[in-house]
Amino acid sequence: GAGVSQSPSNKVTEKGKDVELRCDPISGHTALYWYRQSLGQGLEFLIYFQGNSAPDKSGLPSDRFSAERTGGSVSTLTIQRTQQEDSAVYLCASSLSGRGGFGLTEAFFGQGTRLTVV
Amino acid sequence: GESVGLHLPTLSVQEGDNSIINCAYSNSASDYFIWYKQESGKGPQFIIDIRSNMDKRQGQRVTVLLNKTVKHLSLQIAATQPGDSAVYFCAELHNTDKLIFGTGTRLQVFP
């Protein structure tokens, strides 16, 4: 696709349910990031995938959060036993490389998934 | 979660004036910095980047200044327009190759 695609765009779930959020990065991008953005706040780093390297999971807030990236492309962020504090916009971004010359590090963002836990 | 400290949050300017948005970062090992613009309901969009071996870089109507001595980054927008109204984030690239974002500054442009 032309850009990073995330689905669903909105998700309302009941407390205690599991949810899966999907990210389709730009084709050929080796780096993929997940961030969480609460209302009026900054972007909280969650997890980072780079090629075939082990992902950097240091930002995941609890063991209820996990993410996979299959075949170096599509990524799924799973939140188990959702809590109300999980309500936020979850943003995915991809880039050609985690590091490079000017422009190569540019991360392109999707529109995000707005998760509401009721 | 990790974030770059950003002294914050709302900057109001008149259309046509210059805007200066500031950011403090904490990791002296970071060697790459980026400014992003986020409009309401959208994901952040890249504006301009700078390497740590530079202290200034210019784009179209925007200039980024880097002061490594005090770990400070700024974004200058010349002749601010209503379309510049958004939240602006600075981000740093750690040596682990992950982008860490600041809290953000909301820029409001008045006619």
Side-chain angles (χ1 to χ4, degrees), chain A residues 3-6 23-24 90-94 108-113, chain B residues 38 41-44:
Chain A
V4 178
S5 177
Q6 291 188 246
C23 173
D24 282 272
Y90 289 81
L91 288 160
C92 175
S94 71
F108 294 84
F109 282 82
Q111 298 283 63
T113 294
Chain B
Q38 186 176 27
K42 298 183 179 179

Side-chain angles (χ1 to χ4, degrees), chain A:
Chain A
V4 178
S5 177
Q6 291 188 246
S7 61
S9 54
N10 282 283
K11 176 72 176 178
V12 179
T13 189
E14 292 182 351
K15 178 180 173 181
K17 301 284 189 182
D18 298 351
V19 294
E20 284 190 352
L21 312 180
R22 178 186 169 102
C23 173
D24 282 272
I26 294 173
S27 179
H29 280 193
T30 58
L32 187 147
Y33 303 83
W34 282 99
Y35 294 90
R36 178 168 70 175
Q37 187 174 32
S38 300
L39 186 64
Q41 299 297 314
L43 280 74
E44 177 188 2
F45 169 80
L46 296 178
I47 189 169
Y48 165 62
F49 296 90
Q50 173 58 275
N52 296 320
S53 301
D56 181 338
K57 304 180 181 181
S58 60
L60 296 178
S62 76
D63 58 9
R64 296 187 295 106
F65 288 73
S66 61
E68 292 183 340
R69 189 178 185 192
T70 54
S73 181
V74 172
S75 178
T76 302
L77 177 69
T78 301
I79 307 173
Q80 296 178 309
R81 305 180 303 280
T82 51
Q83 304 295 314
Q84 288 186 327
E85 61 263 30
D86 299 335
S87 296
V89 175
Y90 289 81
L91 288 160
C92 175
S94 71
S95 68
L96 275 172
S97 171
R99 177 171 296 279
F102 286 121
L104 293 182
T105 304
E106 178 182 352
F108 294 84
F109 282 82
Q111 298 283 63
T113 294
R114 182 174 297 279
L115 175 67
T116 304
V117 182
V118 298

Side-chain angles (χ1 to χ4, degrees), chain B residues 29-41:
Chain B
S30 294
D31 60 357
Y32 207 88
F33 304 88
I34 306 172
W35 279 101
Y36 280 86
K37 173 185 179 183
Q38 186 176 27
E39 296 175 290
S40 181

